[in-house]
Amino acid sequence: MGNRFTRSLATLTGLALTGAGLLTVTATPAAASAYDCPAGYWCGWSGQSATGQMYKTNKNVADLGSWDNKIHSYVNRTKSIACVYENKNYNYAGGYWSADPADAGEYISYPTATASSVKFVRTERECVGQAYPWWDSQTSPKALGFGDMNGDRRADMLVRDKAGRLWFTPGDGTGRLVGTGGWNSMNALTRHGDFSRDGREDLIAREASTGKLWLYPGTGTGSLGSRKLIGTGGWNGMSNITAVGDLTGDGRSDLIAVEKSTGKLYLYPGTSTGTLGSRKLIGTGGWNSMNALAGVGDMDGDGRPDVYAREASTGKLWLYPGRSATLGGRVLAGTGGWNAMAQLIAVGDFSGDGRPDLAAVTNDKYVIDGYAGNLGWLVTYRGRGNGLLAAGERTDGEWWGLNGAC
């Protein structure tokens, strides 16, 4: 990941980074030969201003051969991200650049020619590894009723990449594609328990363009079945859509969401047909002050599912204990600093002690050794069984370049 920040370059139209020796030029001042690169190709030139001899490819090239260390400027006219490596065989240890698709006439220039191999990928993460992150979870002594999509008592995750693909990560460091694309059309993803009443955990997603709410039934293997419409529209008026488990006590999974216009919190009870029943007001106002909710299961050991909420103005984390079809008085679970988390992820017991835990991915406010800017760290918090959390552990630093997880 360190090499990514050192050598990775985005095509910034009209910006010259002369201190780093990098020059990105817009179409207006570009030399005429910059337009010679055809659509669908990555092109490199022997001159710095897209001049001289031109090399082009639309295939991965592990060794540029006679062009090795000869390319001073280039453009990516493909629809993929181009990874340009200083070493052969896509070895990123020596540094790399990533180039997004560009328009005709744009190019990136570098005074020192160091390109030795080129690879085309869907996301920048794939310049240095897998599209999905490393995720590890321990076997829980008991099934918690959520978090486990393949029945092995290990907490799983569904991870969306920036290309709109969905990945199933079962907790052993591996990943498998379960959604080939189109998932970026959803602006909310949540899972906690079985909504379809078939004994398998499901996924709920909101469609951004229509405000519809869709249920994707789990298959028991980590994959998802054909979706079912459970909300015909209007869900764009709700924020923090969160599956919480069985809050009503009727054996069915429920959903909560905040009404943006009023700040009220509503409970949407699950039904015997896998749909949602008529909503019930459980928070009269003020919930717009919370910018993240997580349905974490029974954190305090009373047999009812609980909810964590992050207060936007203070960065505090609050526990709202579950009661019969509502939430009880809140308890402070984190004194501050939680605004440094881009996302709170509740997927059950990943520590293997039988109690639900909490994971989070950092944003650029996260501080390490006195310095902010440390986005993309997975931080894990073990549940103590009393509603509180143990100190966070930095588990993995390669959770950058994703588009959410649940």
Side-chain angles (χ1 to χ4, degrees):
M1 187 170 168
N3 286 325
R4 179 174 67 92
F5 288 117
T6 302
R7 304 298 294 178
S8 176
L9 311 175
T11 304
L12 306 174
T13 302
L15 179 64
L17 302 177
T18 55
L22 167 70
L23 180 65
T24 302
V25 185
T26 64
T28 301
S33 59
Y35 291 89
D36 292 342
C37 184
Y41 283 83
W42 180 91
C43 300
W45 290 270
S46 58
Q48 286 191 44
S49 301
T51 57
Q53 291 182 313
M54 187 180 77
Y55 171 89
K56 67 178 182 179
T57 183
N58 58 6
K59 307 292 184 183
N60 294 343
V61 182
D63 184 347
L64 285 172
S66 63
W67 279 86
D68 184 33
N69 294 332
K70 298 290 179 61
I71 294 173
H72 286 87
S73 53
Y74 64 84
V75 64
N76 177 23
R77 299 288 319 282
T78 74
K79 294 182 179 180
S80 301
I81 292 173
C83 312
V84 184
Y85 302 88
E86 293 197 1
N87 291 343
K88 297 177 182 179
N89 300 313
Y90 323 121
N91 182 350
Y92 58 87
Y96 78 95
W97 296 265
S98 69
D100 292 334
D103 294 328
E106 293 182 345
Y107 62 85
I108 291 173
S109 182
Y110 199 73
T112 304
T114 58
S116 295
S117 55
V118 180
K119 182 171 69 172
F120 301 98
V121 296
R122 296 286 303 279
T123 64
E124 187 188 341
R125 290 181 54 87
E126 294 162 272
C127 291
V128 297
Q130 302 288 350
Y132 56 86
W134 178 84
W135 166 246
D136 178 68
S137 60
Q138 303 301 311
T139 302
S140 181
K142 60 182 179 180
L144 294 186
F146 78 105
D148 177 15
M149 296 191 68
N150 62 357
D152 63 358
R153 297 208 320 273
R154 296 176 69 166
D156 311 315
M157 281 208 198
L158 290 173
V159 180
R160 179 173 57 181
D161 67 26
K162 288 193 173 181
R165 297 172 297 183
L166 198 66
W167 300 86
F168 172 66
T169 57
D172 60 1
T174 67
R176 175 164 56 87
L177 189 66
V178 295
T180 57
W183 285 90
N184 282 341
S185 65
M186 303 296 174
N187 61 1
L189 301 175
T190 186
R191 52 178 269 251
H192 181 136
D194 173 27
F195 283 83
S196 61
R197 310 291 295 157
D198 62 359
R200 301 160 179 164
E201 184 162 74
D202 308 314
L203 174 69
I204 289 177
R206 177 179 62 192
E207 192 171 39
S209 62
T210 64
K212 293 179 179 179
L213 202 65
W214 297 93
L215 172 71
Y216 291 82
T219 63
T221 64
S223 299
L224 300 169
S226 300
R227 69 183 188 177
K228 175 183 177 181
L229 185 65
I230 60 172
T232 57
W235 283 89
N236 279 338
M238 311 301 291
S239 66
N240 290 322
I241 299 171
T242 306
V244 294
D246 181 18
L247 193 59
T248 60
D250 62 359
R252 302 162 184 158
S253 293
D254 306 315
L255 195 73
I256 61 174
V258 177
E259 191 172 48
K260 294 178 183 178
S261 61
T262 64
K264 294 178 179 179
L265 183 69
Y266 285 94
L267 168 68
Y268 295 81
T271 70
S272 60
T273 60
T275 58
L276 298 173
S278 300
R279 70 182 189 178
K280 174 188 176 182
L281 182 66
I282 61 172
T284 56
W287 282 87
N288 280 337
S289 65
M290 303 297 174
N291 60 2
L293 301 182
V296 285
D298 180 17
M299 296 296 295
D300 58 10
D302 66 355
R304 302 185 183 97
D306 307 313
V307 174
Y308 279 137
R310 179 178 61 193
E311 191 171 40
S313 62
T314 63
K316 293 179 179 180
L317 189 70
W318 296 93
L319 173 73
Y320 287 83
R323 297 292 182 258
S324 179
T326 190
L327 297 174
R330 69 183 188 178
V331 177
L332 186 63
T335 57
W338 286 87
N339 279 336
M341 302 300 166
Q343 185 181 9
L344 307 181
I345 310 171
V347 290
D349 173 28
F350 50 74
S351 62
D353 63 1
R355 297 190 290 257
D357 307 307
L358 181 70
V361 178
T362 64
N363 58 33
D364 60 7
K365 296 178 183 178
Y366 188 62
V367 176
I368 298 178
D369 297 332
Y371 295 94
N374 301 286
L375 76 167
W377 278 90
L378 178 72
V379 184
T380 54
Y381 300 84
R382 295 191 179 202
R384 291 179 171 177
N386 60 358
L388 303 180
L389 298 166
E393 299 179 13
R394 289 200 298 269
T395 304
D396 183 58
E398 297 297 326
W399 282 67
W400 56 271
L402 299 169
N403 196 21
C406 64

